[in-house]
Amino acid sequence: MALLDSDMGPVREADGAAAPRWRPRGGQVFRPTRVANPPPRLANLWSETAALGLPRRAPEMSAFGPVSRRAGRIGLVALALAVTIGVLLPGPALALASLASCSLFAALIALRIGAVSFRPQWMRGPDCADQALPTATIMVALYREAAVLPQLAASLAAIDYPPGRIAFKLVLEADDRATIDTARGLALDDRFEIVIVPPGEPRTKPRALNYALRLCRSELVTVHDAEDHPHPDQLRRAAEVFRIADPRLACIQAPLNWYNRHETWLTRQFALEYAAHFHALLPLYQRLGWPLPLGGTSNHFRREALLALGGWDAWNVTEDADLGLRLHAAGYHCGLIEPLTEEEAPLRLSPWVKQRTRWIKGYAQTIAVLLANPRTPWRRVWPGVLVLGGAAVSALLHAPLSLICLTAFLLNPSGALTGLPALAFMAAGYASAIACAAVAMRRAGLPLRRRDLIAMPGYWLLQTLAALRALRQLIFDPHYWEKTEHGVSALTGPSCISASPRPLSDSPCASVSSCSPAGGPASLSVRSAARASSPGR
């Protein structure tokens, strides 16, 4: 019987004979196997650790246990109390609503003014030769993604990185036969490896990533989503930054937007929101030294930093934002690079609400964990709590506060003077948000339509629906992961090259590359070819 140890070298039988090798070989060159095949008992041990590793190692840092439901109950009581006061004491309720609106919008206005006042400071590193780049593994957790898997493989294969220094891990659930069969049927080269996660709970993306992280032996670990179109230069840019950066730089986030942003009114609003977040607000947070609430994709990590923190929290449904705050709390920091990733935005209201429900629920989980932990370093993480808490609270209260203020003013203008400051701040808040989105879209190099900017307040009102669902799920089903369906857009196609925000100043655009699902880039960029024959700087 084999002696199983997750951190051992080659596994040996009890009689001393070497067991069959199954791990991808580490070091400077990857030779990944077609399908990762650890011994079943070791795979089950890893599966359990992927779910319970962080709760056992640092229970105060995990959303596992009653902390999520407690946050939901507190939120429900607060909401019920606000409604009761509004019904029984409309005058004081209006005054409180005015105060809350003024405070909230004042903070948001200040942040947006700062975001448009300073241009992003994207991190850059000097070009280096291929052999000087760190080894990297790109992990993609997939579930019921057979429709987009060929396109994903093409997008990954188009990444401009030396083949001997990169590995791709397609992380699949054991019961997802359709995606497994599709992945096995693709003619992928030996950089690709299929990792099948054993059954277990919770069925979440961070649990799958924790499992696959055990198979990574690279210096860098990158996370992408199934529908991603990353810019071919993105990983190389991140790697060049890591080569010269302070060791406390733990993660580099690339901007995100949507390749189907013109498809519906909802996708156009989503594009405005993402542009403001990634090209205005996140650069401001980086400038201020605040924690970065990471997106769930296009994160480039130092593997050692991930291991030091115990990986992702499998019980938090926004494991990305949670990890961004935990990294900052531990003394690490995150940065931003310019080459973006394009994704597929939800086309209809129902999937959009489900996705936003998960986000708001995860923000609440993250804040609840920090509040419950007596050792939380508030000096470092309070800005992140402010950002996540502001997003969750504003989503929950925006529609009710707007309705209270507008109704009181229309029904009794003379007696609703106390609501005028709130209305004024609300108007200023809308104006600052519209200006922030407009500036951010121009920074991202994306086309802008005036009527979409004017319609932004209507989009914000929809978020209250998601916030109410998140409040209910926090109480009854806090760890449920609502899957976003991909491959439904009419614009989903074989293209694997995402448009750059604008040509990089010192090189031709890398989008001249083409790719084949069966292998690497069919032709490398001009800059890559030149760099391969020149010494690193």
Side-chain angles (χ1 to χ4, degrees):
M1 180 177 178
L3 301 176
L4 304 180
D5 189 333
S6 60
D7 294 319
M8 291 174 61
V11 178
R12 294 189 174 273
E13 301 289 340
D15 61 2
R21 297 186 63 88
W22 54 266
R23 287 180 177 172
R25 299 172 185 171
Q28 295 301 309
V29 178
F30 286 98
R31 297 183 181 87
T33 57
R34 185 70 176 88
V35 178
N37 189 27
R41 288 182 59 187
L42 186 55
N44 291 332
L45 174 63
W46 283 8
S47 176
E48 181 185 5
T49 305
L52 297 174
L54 183 63
R56 289 171 176 169
R57 173 183 175 180
E60 72 281 359
M61 298 301 293
S62 173
F64 178 74
V67 63
S68 298
R69 286 188 171 90
R70 190 182 304 128
R73 294 189 188 103
I74 293 173
L76 183 61
V77 170
L79 183 61
L81 182 62
V83 171
T84 302
I85 294 175
V87 172
L88 300 179
L89 302 169
L94 181 59
L96 287 174
S98 299
L99 179 61
S101 299
C102 292
S103 301
L104 179 61
F105 279 104
L108 293 176
I109 290 168
L111 282 176
R112 289 163 181 158
I113 290 175
V116 300
S117 299
F118 300 99
R119 293 190 62 83
Q121 294 179 329
W122 307 111
M123 302 187 77
R124 292 289 300 271
D127 292 353
C128 66
D130 285 358
Q131 62 268 25
L133 290 171
T135 55
T137 300
I138 294 182
M139 301 195 300
V140 187
L142 305 116
Y143 185 60
R144 293 186 294 190
E145 301 286 10
V148 299
L149 188 51
Q151 175 182 292
L152 169 68
S155 294
L156 296 179
I159 291 174
D160 180 11
Y161 213 75
R165 310 187 77 77
I166 190 170
F168 305 111
K169 297 194 183 298
L170 307 178
V171 188
L172 313 179
E173 298 287 343
D175 63 349
D176 186 10
R177 296 308 313 175
T179 308
I180 292 174
D181 291 343
T182 300
R184 286 178 169 170
L186 293 175
L188 302 175
D189 61 43
D190 61 3
R191 295 173 299 169
F192 288 81
E193 181 178 50
I194 299 170
V195 178
I196 299 178
V197 183
E201 294 295 333
R203 179 67 67 86
T204 60
K205 173 184 173 181
R207 173 180 170 269
L209 293 177
N210 282 337
Y211 181 87
L213 184 60
R214 290 280 192 169
L215 291 163
C216 295
R217 296 295 181 266
S218 56
E219 299 165 73
L220 305 182
V221 173
T222 294
V223 175
H224 278 300
D225 279 345
E227 78 279 18
D228 280 4
H229 292 174
H231 189 280
D233 252 3
Q234 186 184 117
L235 176 58
R236 185 181 284 268
R237 290 290 185 187
E240 289 169 349
V241 171
F242 275 122
R243 286 184 68 249
I244 64 169
D246 186 290
R248 304 305 289 179
L249 177 67
C251 178
I252 293 176
Q253 170 76 66
L256 309 176
N257 213 281
W258 313 101
Y259 62 75
N260 64 328
R261 55 185 170 269
H262 301 304
E263 200 160 0
T264 66
W265 175 82
L266 197 61
T267 61
R268 293 195 298 272
Q269 291 297 318
F270 219 164
L272 290 171
E273 181 182 18
Y274 257 45
H277 182 70
F278 286 100
H279 285 86
L281 293 172
L282 281 188
L284 176 64
Y285 302 159
Q286 177 185 245
R287 180 184 289 268
L288 295 174
W290 286 10
L292 297 188
L294 301 173
T297 179
S298 304
N299 308 137
H300 307 272
F301 295 98
R302 289 191 197 270
R303 175 174 164 270
E304 286 129 352
L306 271 178
L307 296 177
L309 262 70
W312 294 269
D313 183 6
W315 302 89
N316 191 314
V317 295
T318 51
E319 81 294 337
D320 40 15
D322 167 74
L323 185 56
L325 266 64
R326 283 199 289 127
L327 285 169
H328 210 78
Y332 294 98
H333 63 278
C334 304
L336 302 169
I337 55 174
E338 186 175 18
L340 61 77
T341 293
E342 289 187 330
E343 299 187 286
E344 179 187 356
L347 302 179
R348 298 178 294 107
L349 181 60
S350 176
W352 179 90
V353 168
K354 291 178 180 179
Q355 184 184 67
R356 191 57 55 104
T357 295
R358 178 169 59 82
W359 293 359
I360 296 173
K361 181 171 66 172
Y363 295 165
Q365 287 178 319
T366 300
I367 295 170
V369 169
L370 292 171
L371 289 173
N373 182 7
R375 294 192 295 273
T376 294
W378 288 106
R379 182 179 60 85
R380 296 189 59 83
V381 302
W382 72 263
V385 173
L386 176 66
V387 169
L388 297 185
V393 172
S394 62
L396 183 63
L397 298 182
H398 185 78
L401 286 178
S402 300
L403 183 62
I404 289 172
C405 295
L406 290 174
T407 301
F409 181 74
L410 293 175
L411 295 180
N412 188 11
S414 60
L417 294 179
T418 54
L420 287 178
L423 291 174
F425 268 104
M426 188 178 298
Y430 286 148
S432 66
I434 290 171
C436 184
V439 170
M441 288 287 282
R442 293 191 183 98
R443 288 176 179 173
L446 302 176
L448 185 63
R449 300 204 304 187
R450 187 174 303 171
R451 61 179 176 270
D452 292 331
L453 294 173
I454 297 173
M456 284 177 61
Y459 176 72
W460 293 355
L461 294 174
L462 297 175
Q463 303 206 35
T464 299
L465 297 174
L468 291 173
R469 291 184 78 250
L471 187 59
R472 182 186 64 81
Q473 287 190 14
L474 277 171
I475 299 173
F476 298 106
D477 205 357
H479 308 300
Y480 172 55
W481 186 287
E482 289 193 281
K483 174 86 167 57
T484 303
E485 186 179 5
H486 301 131
V488 298
S489 169
L491 302 180
T492 300
S495 174
C496 61
I497 303 299
S498 62
S500 175
R502 54 183 173 274
L504 299 169
S505 58
D506 61 347
S507 66
C509 178
S511 64
V512 297
S513 300
S514 62
C515 67
S516 165
S523 60
L524 295 176
S525 64
V526 175
R527 188 188 61 214
S528 175
R531 198 164 32 213
S533 61
S534 62
R537 288 181 289 170

